[in-house]
Amino acid sequence: MSPQRPAVAPGKRARDSVGPSATGAAARSLLTGGAGAFPGRAAALVATSLLSAAAAVALPALLGRSLDLVLAGAADAGPWLALCAALVVADIACDAACAHLAGTLTAHSAARTRRRALGHLLAAGPRAAGRFTPGDLVTRLTANVTEAAAAPAIAAAAVPAVVLPVGALVALALTDLWTAAVFVAGAPLLVLLVRAFARNTSAGVAEYQQVQGTIAARLVEALEGARTVAAAGTTERERARILAPLPELAAQGRLMWHVYGRAVARGAVLLPLLETGVLAVGGLRVAAGDMSVGELLAALRYAALAAGLGAVVGQLSGLLRSRAAAGRAAEALAAPVVAYGRRGLPGDGCGRLEFRDVSVVRDGRPVLRGVGLVVPGGATLALVGRSGSGKTALAQLPGRLADPDTGTVLLDGVPVAEIEREVLRREVGYAFERPALFGTTVRDSIAFGPYAPPLAEVSAAARAAEADAFVRRLPDGYGTQLKRAPLSGGEAQRLGLARAFAHAGRLLVLDDATSSLDSVTERQVARALLHQVRPGTRLVVAHRASSAARADLVAWLDDGRIRAVGPHAALWALPEYRAVFAADDDPAHVPDCVRPHAAADDGRAGGEGTPGEPVRGHGPAGGTP
């Protein structure tokens, strides 16, 4: 099911901080979503629960009447006894139906909520998920979502848990006002007991779930870095770090059980006192001839039902756990989804990319500052700069993996925020430094994308990425299951490149996507990218001088600003530019790798300048388009 999209204008991204109102709305949606999605099951559960409660309330009166008839030796006692038996069977059947309906409603609600939560999180973009550690996020979307999804069934079961004591109290008053008055006199103590339980349990449940998320987050971190932990010989230290919150978890667990046990213990003292009071008054009334034995039996049973604290406490405890879980899950789901436009791209567009006065802020720190840049259609532009200069932040913007806080990004003259989602995903592709490989087989991992290319295109893309040879050496070639294909870092990166090549559109962004390849393979991939992959514009995040040298132009970023734009051979004359690269880069071969500009009709990226001359950044933006 598609997640609901709030009214967010295209181009406006979700902020890092999500307001409490958005979180509260998401929590309420999680708690009530199951009942709204499955109204038939929820209504049937409420109906059967009420029938069960009605049978439980009617049974004591019928038993009392039957007992009086039997004691009186009346001939018509048989039908009353048969009616009692029928009510017992009906009560048992209703309880069984309630258990079945509650289980299926919870299961369907949990499945729906998980799908909806995952779809919402993915639609909100990488930054929404990046607000949490992987382990904590998994806990929120699995255990917490499951507990939250149980709320409709618990609430439906809570209806008879409340109706039954109220109905029993009314029936007790109809049976005998004096015994009802005795019970009512002690009822305020029951109310205080329930209120204290709710107040003390709520905070403990939230803390318990928070500590669970912390342990899960640390465990996932350790599993991801298992090789590093083993190589460093820090297994025991890491285990201690993961399990360090266990004492706090145990303390919170003990606190919850202590609160629960205290409520049950107090109830165990209070309820017998109330029943004893009812029995004493009822006995005196029987002795005085104001009540029959059957009415006394009914009064005692009604008093027990009216004091049904255990059922109320149990349902209340479940609702409190669901509410706390919904609050944690809602924190991950409160960010609005990315809103796409409805515009297409011109059919004759060549992939001209433009950044107009773009700024990006992360956690209150400016990452990009008024960047203005033009990448001519069909050209290859390398983004160069020290770590933290804003290269990846800039590369994320064309495909809307993130949106700028200010400014506009245009592809072939159309703001990317106004482009239809399917068009944007088809025309803007990415390859990353550490690609995540999806699918069952190697072929699936390369074909993964907005559409599934045929095997011929998959193998062609693998050849372009220098992956075809090692794939064919696998046990089943392209049909080899990923879990049976041990891949080195370079091989995984080549599969990621092949996936990008198989879906290449008018713009292809390579975010340090060749960092694990040796120099020879990197040159072969770069050559194939020119001749074997669909022509288009390339935006390359480069850390090697050789990668920058193969680009038509280089945009040099420094502290979130464009410092200079020009051919790599011209920029290499600047000592500060050379210092960006590793000391072992050999400048002697660099100018030979620069090839002619690919699209002169669009003008040179970054603004005016003659071939071979860098265009220095200037002005408050650090560069001009």
Side-chain angles (χ1 to χ4, degrees):
M1 179 174 178
S2 300
Q4 290 184 339
R5 297 185 175 184
V8 179
K12 298 296 184 182
R13 66 169 177 81
R15 303 301 185 206
D16 288 335
S17 59
V18 178
S21 60
T23 302
R28 287 190 294 273
S29 177
L30 286 174
L31 289 173
T32 60
F38 307 101
R41 291 179 185 272
L45 178 57
V46 173
T48 52
S49 298
L50 289 175
L51 286 175
S52 176
V57 170
L59 186 58
L62 293 177
L63 284 174
R65 177 61 177 166
S66 300
L67 179 60
D68 287 339
L69 291 174
V70 170
L71 292 177
D76 57 347
W80 288 91
L81 291 174
L83 185 57
C84 290
L87 273 181
V88 170
V89 172
D91 193 17
I92 293 174
C94 287
D95 287 342
C98 287
H100 173 75
L101 288 170
T104 56
L105 177 60
T106 299
H108 284 82
S109 178
R112 173 188 176 274
T113 305
R114 284 196 203 97
R115 289 194 300 268
R116 177 170 170 264
L118 181 60
H120 183 105
L121 193 66
L122 293 176
R127 289 187 61 192
R131 294 166 51 230
F132 306 93
T133 60
D136 186 28
L137 189 60
V138 168
T139 301
R140 291 171 187 263
L141 295 183
T142 52
N144 294 153
V145 163
T146 300
E147 284 192 282
I154 296 174
V159 172
V162 175
V163 169
L164 187 58
V166 173
L169 183 58
V170 172
L172 178 60
L174 293 175
T175 302
D176 183 74
L177 283 175
W178 289 99
T179 54
V182 172
F183 185 88
V184 170
L189 297 177
L190 284 175
V191 175
L192 292 176
L193 190 60
V194 172
R195 285 187 61 186
F197 174 79
R199 182 178 61 251
N200 296 329
T201 300
S202 182
V205 169
E207 290 294 331
Y208 188 86
Q209 293 173 347
Q210 180 66 40
V211 178
Q212 279 184 317
T214 300
I215 294 175
R218 295 184 180 185
L219 178 60
V220 170
E221 290 172 0
L223 293 175
E224 289 179 344
R227 290 188 300 176
T228 301
V229 172
T234 57
T235 303
E236 293 300 323
R237 189 191 312 168
E238 192 63 18
R239 181 166 60 183
R241 183 184 73 89
I242 295 170
L243 300 180
L246 271 182
E248 184 181 358
L249 186 73
Q252 294 297 335
R254 285 194 298 270
L255 176 61
M256 289 191 297
W257 280 110
H258 176 70
V259 171
Y260 182 80
R262 187 166 53 186
V264 172
R266 290 175 177 175
V269 173
L270 181 59
L271 299 183
L273 288 177
L274 289 175
E275 292 179 4
T276 301
V278 170
L279 177 61
V281 172
L284 293 174
R285 305 262 304 155
V286 170
D290 296 326
M291 286 182 70
S292 68
V293 175
E295 288 174 335
L296 177 60
L297 174 65
L300 287 175
R301 181 57 185 159
Y302 283 136
L305 292 176
L309 182 66
V312 174
V313 168
Q315 300 302 326
L316 183 60
S317 177
L319 285 175
L320 290 173
R321 286 197 304 271
S322 294
R323 188 179 72 171
R328 280 180 47 80
E331 290 177 358
L333 304 177
V337 301
V338 177
Y340 291 87
R342 298 181 178 275
R343 296 183 61 180
L345 289 170
D348 58 350
C350 55
R352 184 179 187 271
L353 180 64
E354 181 178 359
F355 300 89
R356 289 183 183 172
D357 196 25
V358 167
S359 296
V360 172
V361 178
R362 296 285 188 271
D363 299 323
R365 182 180 67 87
V367 178
L368 294 175
R369 309 166 187 259
V371 171
L373 183 65
V374 174
V375 185
T380 296
L381 177 84
L383 298 175
V384 167
R386 296 184 184 276
S387 178
S389 61
K391 301 183 299 297
T392 294
L394 188 65
Q396 289 177 338
L397 302 181
R400 301 198 65 197
L401 302 185
D403 285 329
D405 291 86
T406 61
T408 306
V409 182
L410 300 98
L411 181 60
D412 282 330
V414 181
V416 294
E418 299 178 10
I419 299 175
E420 189 179 355
R421 179 182 180 275
E422 290 72 18
V423 174
L424 186 67
R425 292 289 156 251
R426 187 175 64 247
E427 296 294 344
V428 181
Y430 279 86
F432 300 102
E433 177 186 7
R434 297 177 181 176
L437 301 178
F438 296 94
T440 303
T441 65
V442 173
R443 175 184 177 178
D444 294 339
S445 68
I446 298 175
F448 184 82
Y451 59 91
L455 179 58
E457 294 183 16
V458 168
S459 57
R463 285 193 297 272
E466 294 295 319
D468 181 72
F470 80 78
V471 169
R472 293 189 182 279
R473 287 196 297 268
L474 294 173
D476 298 314
Y478 285 91
T480 304
Q481 293 187 355
L482 283 174
K483 62 182 181 182
R484 295 181 52 215
L487 302 173
S488 66
E491 289 170 340
Q493 201 166 67
R494 278 181 273 175
L495 289 182
L497 284 167
R499 178 174 61 200
F501 293 171
H503 302 89
R506 65 184 70 194
L507 174 62
L508 186 58
V509 182
L510 307 180
D511 188 355
D512 204 19
T514 60
S515 59
S516 297
L517 306 184
D518 58 78
S519 299
V520 174
T521 303
E522 184 187 16
R523 285 198 297 272
Q524 292 171 339
V525 170
R527 189 178 302 114
L529 185 59
L530 285 174
H531 304 293
Q532 300 179 35
V533 181
R534 171 184 166 177
T537 305
R538 318 294 190 213
L539 191 63
V540 181
V541 176
H543 291 90
R544 295 177 180 175
S546 56
S547 299
R550 279 188 286 269
D552 297 310
L553 291 170
V554 173
W556 175 16
L557 281 84
D558 186 14
D559 194 26
R561 294 185 173 91
I562 297 291
R563 183 164 177 177
V565 177
H568 175 77
L571 292 173
W572 193 261
L574 305 175
E576 299 91 340
Y577 178 77
R578 292 198 301 271
V580 171
F581 299 97
D584 59 353
D585 281 321
D586 180 12
H589 73 281
V590 171
D592 297 333
C593 299
V594 181
R595 51 190 183 80
H597 198 279
D601 58 323
D602 277 306
R604 187 164 296 278
E608 298 176 356
T610 57
E613 293 181 351
V615 178
R616 300 274 186 168
H618 58 278
T624 56

